[in-house]
Amino acid sequence: MSHAAVATHDHDHDHKPKGFVKRWLMTTNHKDIGTLYLIFALTMFIFGGALAMIIRLELFQPGLQFVQPDFFNQLTTMHALIMVFGAVMPAFVGFANWMIPIMIGAPDMALPRMNNWSFWILPFAFTMLASTFFMDGGAPAAGWTLYPPLVLQGGQNLAYAVFAIHMLGISSIMGAINVIATIMNMRAPNMGYLKMPLFVWTWLITAFLLIAVMPVFAGAVTMLLTDHYFGTSFFNAAGGGDPVLFQHIFWFFGHPEVYIMILPSFGIFSEIIPTFARKPLFGYVSMVYASAAIAFLSFIVWAHHMFSVGMPFGGELYFMYATMLISIPTGVKVFNWVSTMWKGAMTFETPMLWAIAFVILFTIGGFSGLMMAIAPVDFQYHDTYFIVAHFHYVLVSGSVFAIIAGVYYWIPKWTGNMYSERLGKIHFWWSAISINVLFFPQHFLGLAGMPRRIPDYSTQFAEFNMWSSIGGFAFGLAQIFFIIIVIRTIKGKGTTKATDRVWEGAKGLEWFIPSPAPHHTFQDGEAVKDEQLAHVSTH
Amino acid sequence: MNKTVLKTALAAVLMFGFAFALIPLYNTFCEITGLNGKTSGQVAEDILITQTVDENRVITIQFDASVNSKLNWEFRPTEFEMQVIPGKLYKTEFYAKNLSNSEITGRATYSVTPRVASLYFNKTECFCFTEQTLKAHEEVIMPVTFIIDSKLTEDINLMTLSYTFYKLES
Ligand code: HEM
Ligand SMILES: [Cu+2]
């Protein structure tokens, strides 16, 4: 008899509210809200992915074939905004909602009603953002970085984009407050900070980052709005403002933002790797400190995105060295993952395959980051396809792989059904190969000087672009396959019933409650037992 | 729990304010360090008293002028380059003409490169940040007088003073 069976016996079975409106629209249940976030993120992933497919279609050959340059710029801008704010961030919030209360033995999130708002703001925000496609002048086309003066010359979409950003900023901040309040106040007895799973730790740190930088981003876009509509001159040189100032404010938000998108994925992989290596995570405490160090450093390196704006020599040097410093805690993490696998009794179920691919491909992305951190050579890489390759290696094979791996890892717990291992492996190999065909050639394109955000290019770039497009279509198709796998698992087609433990010897509270997880868990506030936890640090 | 929520919410509000606080912070920072190429406005001519003139040190000043696309003016320096000795007063002129058939008001901004050198570029007379109104097809000559501070560091021997004229929207 596990302790969780006791915890849930008085509350499980059919305590779910009936009817669509009550169950989903008005839900305050962390698991239901987590599910909503994940479905929403998947929808946005398809939408953003479709835009990317048009981009790769246009770039398949030199010349203009399918879209006009202005629409092309709308595509790149909206692809990025939707993937960053609509797909990756909400997906991680979905994981947080589902898993954090379970992992720390809490009955729900600390602020369940606010949780409901945080989610239901999002569909409205993104409807507003997407509606700009149908407006005069189209969607925002100045890039996701929204640099003035260009972004101010694009018509009325600016107001819509800014309000959408305000709304999803509010959503993120409320979500972050909720995560912090939950972790700091709702841990079950005997769940000390240094016993928390790493996913909980990385999310706690991410939540602090969100609270620190989302408001700064909201402030920056508010200034764009007043510059455009109310005659202020924050970024308008004619009125004594400075457009470069926007870049500083944006990247003060933007660099921590990229860590907001990667820290939770560090957390997910730090859960998966020990399970399949059948060893405790190597260097648990150093992982916590490394995450905190990365978060701190992310505030003081922002101008590595601006090496070519004409910074003084001292500034270039400072931001170059500070940026390189980040690779130390990041390296600590990579070594810890590898050491966890070292001499482990490894098996290669689907989540583990994604984890191993992540360690390798993310490291490639880290290396290209280091190359660009070298200020003098970044003048060549900046705004070329090299940087496009860099951030897709860290964001797709980092964040998106983590989301996919996390779904495979926890979906048996969520649905009670074991996904088809055979299909999962096909999906993995298909994606792992195509992503490299898609993004690796872009390194060479960038080094040879192909600029980013252009619909046409000179003919010497044709071959690599064709390869990249083929890889892109293959990768896109693989994700349709993923959706089929997920739906089949939810419906229980071609699957087996999942056991409660799901993975042999897996540790962590989620593996000591039934599968599928009952609607209510950990209602009785009972103390957690050390032997159920993956990390019981002695520090 | 309420305390946690209150503190984090307060932090979020403060960070929103911080975004706006960055504007004066940035401007002061740039003014002190000269990092964004803005010199600290106009200075009085008595700066000459504090200068120690080294007749052997000659540096080149280039002049550059451009107009924002919304402004239908012609605008150029009357001479493109000048050899100057730091610590002495010099004068140059810029030419502007309204090419349109109506009266237009414009305003110029300026910058100095290399950016650190802007700290040593002192203008005693300048048309920057004052509004210029030109009637249809009117021409003007606008003087700039300046002194390069003799404390200018040794490694700099070329500077560019650049002006951009913008249309002032009423
Ligand atoms: C070792 C760690 C890393 C280093 C040293 C690094 C360095 C850099 C540098 C120098 C740039 C600017 C390049 C340029 O504009 O010329 C850049 C861009 C970028 N990086 Fe990284 N990076 C690292 C990790 C990451 C991670 C983990 C992510 C996200 C998960 C990320 C996401 C991005 C994005 C999105 C951009 C492009 C932003 C844009 O201009 O649109 N980077 N990186
Ligand atoms: Cu960065």
Side-chain angles (χ1 to χ4, degrees):
Chain A
M1 269 305 284
S2 76
H3 124 94
V6 181
T8 53
H9 90 273
D10 53 349
H11 253 288
D12 60 20
H13 301 312
D14 222 17
H15 228 79
K16 299 176 182 130
K18 293 267 178 271
F20 181 84
V21 171
K22 271 224 170 100
R23 172 76 196 273
W24 297 111
L25 217 56
M26 291 162 45
T27 181
T28 55
N29 178 285
H30 73 98
K31 301 188 183 79
D32 283 352
I33 292 176
T35 305
L36 286 172
Y37 265 110
L38 288 168
I39 293 172
F40 177 77
L42 187 61
T43 316
M44 288 291 121
F45 185 57
I46 299 168
F47 183 21
L51 302 182
M53 291 299 105
I54 311 177
I55 292 173
R56 279 321 319 172
L57 189 66
E58 177 57 53
L59 293 175
F60 190 76
Q61 283 184 339
L64 289 180
Q65 280 91 25
F66 299 98
V67 297
Q68 289 307 303
D70 182 54
F71 185 62
F72 185 90
N73 289 346
Q74 297 174 30
L75 290 175
T76 52
T77 305
M78 292 291 277
H79 163 70
L81 288 174
I82 285 168
M83 285 306 199
V84 168
F85 298 107
V88 172
M89 289 170 70
F92 282 136
V93 182
F95 279 106
N97 265 293
W98 247 106
M99 301 317 298
I100 288 177
I102 296 179
M103 286 176 152
I104 61 173
D108 205 311
M109 295 292 279
L111 308 154
R113 279 164 202 274
M114 194 165 90
N115 208 5
N116 174 295
W117 292 351
S118 309
F119 173 76
W120 280 108
I121 287 178
L122 286 181
F124 294 96
F126 280 92
T127 309
M128 204 152 88
L129 187 62
S131 72
T132 56
F133 269 123
F134 305 103
M135 296 170 52
D136 260 2
W144 81 286
T145 51
L146 305 171
Y147 281 3
L150 186 59
V151 74
L152 299 175
Q153 295 159 2
Q156 306 313 321
N157 58 44
L158 182 77
Y160 284 73
V162 167
F163 285 135
I165 289 168
H166 281 156
M167 282 163 73
L168 56 93
I170 290 170
S171 161
S172 301
I173 291 165
M174 292 200 303
I177 292 177
N178 215 340
V179 166
I180 294 174
T182 306
I183 298 174
M184 306 236 296
N185 301 292
M186 308 266 293
R187 279 168 293 124
N190 191 34
M191 174 54 83
Y193 277 113
L194 284 179
K195 291 180 183 176
M196 296 195 312
L198 242 120
F199 178 69
V200 179
W201 257 116
T202 52
W203 239 112
L204 181 62
I205 294 166
T206 303
F208 279 110
L209 284 181
L210 277 167
I211 286 178
V213 300
M214 283 312 283
V216 174
F217 187 35
V221 295
T222 306
M223 290 182 239
L224 285 179
L225 193 75
T226 59
D227 268 11
H228 192 59
Y229 291 100
F230 304 111
T232 56
S233 299
F234 289 111
F235 310 125
N236 177 3
D242 189 344
V244 174
L245 175 56
F246 177 85
Q247 301 188 16
H248 282 291
I249 305 179
F250 181 87
W251 289 114
F252 183 82
F253 146 80
H255 188 79
E257 167 68 20
V258 306
Y259 284 95
I260 287 167
M261 291 190 282
I262 201 67
L263 284 175
S265 74
F266 289 172
I268 290 177
F269 288 122
S270 300
E271 302 304 321
I272 292 176
I273 292 175
T275 297
F276 298 100
R278 289 170 183 74
K279 273 174 64 193
L281 185 69
F282 185 89
Y284 169 84
V285 178
S286 71
M287 282 298 216
V288 173
Y289 282 123
S291 305
I294 289 175
F296 170 74
L297 289 175
S298 74
F299 283 104
I300 57 167
V301 298
W302 74 89
H304 64 217
H305 296 273
M306 304 168 55
F307 281 138
S308 58
V309 299
M311 263 191 292
F313 189 61
E316 305 264 339
L317 269 184
Y318 163 74
F319 282 109
M320 169 166 127
Y321 287 127
T323 301
M324 289 178 168
L325 218 55
I326 292 203
S327 46
I328 295 171
T330 313
V332 167
K333 287 186 161 278
V334 172
F335 284 120
N336 282 345
W337 289 317
V338 175
S339 309
T340 308
M341 291 188 249
W342 184 256
K343 291 190 174 166
M346 283 213 281
T347 51
F348 301 94
E349 285 87 344
T350 307
M352 187 60 165
L353 290 177
W354 291 96
I356 293 169
F358 156 81
V359 173
I360 297 165
L361 299 180
F362 178 80
T363 305
I364 294 179
F367 280 139
S368 57
L370 266 177
M371 287 171 71
M372 296 187 301
I374 303 168
V377 293
D378 185 59
F379 279 71
Q380 185 189 348
Y381 307 150
H382 181 64
D383 270 347
T384 69
Y385 258 81
F386 191 82
I387 168 180
V388 176
H390 159 68
F391 65 69
H392 284 96
Y393 265 89
V394 284
L395 278 172
V396 183
S397 43
S399 312
V400 175
F401 273 27
I403 292 162
I404 294 173
V407 169
Y408 281 116
Y409 187 58
W410 283 307
I411 205 171
K413 179 56 61 185
W414 298 338
T415 62
N417 299 322
M418 199 65 197
Y419 63 87
S420 156
E421 198 57 64
R422 196 174 60 90
L423 297 187
K425 288 206 166 103
I426 295 174
H427 174 218
F428 168 76
W429 286 108
W430 188 352
S431 303
I433 294 168
S434 59
I435 195 183
N436 284 295
V437 179
L438 165 57
F439 293 121
F440 210 80
Q442 295 184 357
H443 289 115
F444 304 126
L445 285 171
L447 291 178
M450 177 169 159
R452 68 193 280 208
R453 295 172 175 160
I454 45 97
D456 187 6
Y457 48 83
S458 100
T459 47
Q460 84 256 29
F461 303 130
E463 200 137 332
F464 280 137
N465 269 298
M466 197 183 74
W467 278 111
S468 184
S469 285
I470 291 171
F473 301 142
F475 188 78
L477 214 58
Q479 306 327 311
I480 304 289
F481 187 55
F482 174 56
I483 295 168
I484 296 171
I485 298 175
V486 169
I487 293 174
R488 282 171 63 95
T489 311
I490 294 171
K491 293 206 164 151
K493 275 210 195 106
T495 59
T496 50
K497 286 272 162 251
T499 58
D500 291 355
R501 200 69 177 264
V502 182
W503 312 109
E504 186 192 87
K507 290 280 191 80
L509 292 182
E510 74 264 40
W511 310 116
F512 294 88
I513 59 172
S515 300
H519 203 55
H520 297 284
T521 36
F522 301 102
Q523 297 284 354
D524 57 359
E526 211 177 283
V528 295
K529 298 191 188 69
D530 280 354
E531 60 273 20
Q532 296 180 337
L533 302 178
H535 328 281
V536 185
S537 180
T538 46
H539 293 252
Chain B
M1 170 132 60
N2 282 338
K3 254 198 192 151
T4 319
V5 176
L6 220 67
K7 274 191 207 155
T8 45
L10 191 71
V13 173
L14 284 178
M15 286 313 286
F16 186 71
F18 178 69
F20 290 86
L22 280 172
I23 308 272
L25 282 174
Y26 175 81
N27 285 337
T28 335
F29 183 77
C30 290
E31 212 159 282
I32 295 169
T33 56
L35 285 192
N36 64 351
K38 281 187 189 158
T39 62
S40 34
Q42 215 157 303
V43 297
E45 252 176 69
D46 28 308
I47 185 173
L48 276 173
I49 303 165
T50 63
Q51 300 290 315
T52 47
V53 180
D54 174 3
E55 298 285 347
N56 290 325
R57 183 165 183 210
V58 178
I59 64 168
T60 309
I61 309 285
Q62 299 175 328
F63 301 106
D64 167 60
S66 61
V67 244
N68 181 270
S69 58
K70 283 187 190 163
L71 183 66
N72 191 10
W73 283 11
E74 183 187 346
F75 174 49
R76 57 180 159 78
T78 53
E79 56 193 328
F80 291 99
E81 216 175 76
M82 197 180 218
Q83 307 295 323
V84 306
I85 295 167
K88 285 193 168 175
L89 187 68
Y90 291 89
K91 180 176 175 188
T92 185
E93 286 167 342
F94 283 71
Y95 166 88
K97 180 179 181 184
N98 184 349
L99 300 176
S100 76
N101 294 324
S102 52
E103 184 177 289
I104 301 181
T105 305
R107 182 158 64 183
T109 65
Y110 59 90
S111 71
V112 174
T113 41
R115 311 228 159 177
V116 277
S118 62
L119 285 179
Y120 305 96
F121 202 109
N122 299 299
K123 295 191 268 343
T124 56
E125 185 186 355
C126 159
F127 53 90
C128 36
F129 285 125
T130 52
E131 293 172 14
Q132 298 281 337
T133 303
L134 295 189
K135 297 199 188 65
H137 304 288
E138 186 186 340
E139 298 171 309
V140 280
I141 294 283
M142 296 172 292
V144 176
T145 56
F146 61 93
I147 304 156
I148 305 299
D149 196 316
S150 56
K151 289 193 284 295
L152 178 71
T153 45
E154 286 295 326
D155 54 326
I156 297 171
N157 47 31
L158 174 71
M159 283 190 197
T160 308
L161 174 65
S162 168
Y163 281 98
T164 305
F165 247 108
Y166 291 89
K167 183 174 180 177
L168 207 66
E169 317 272 356
S170 45

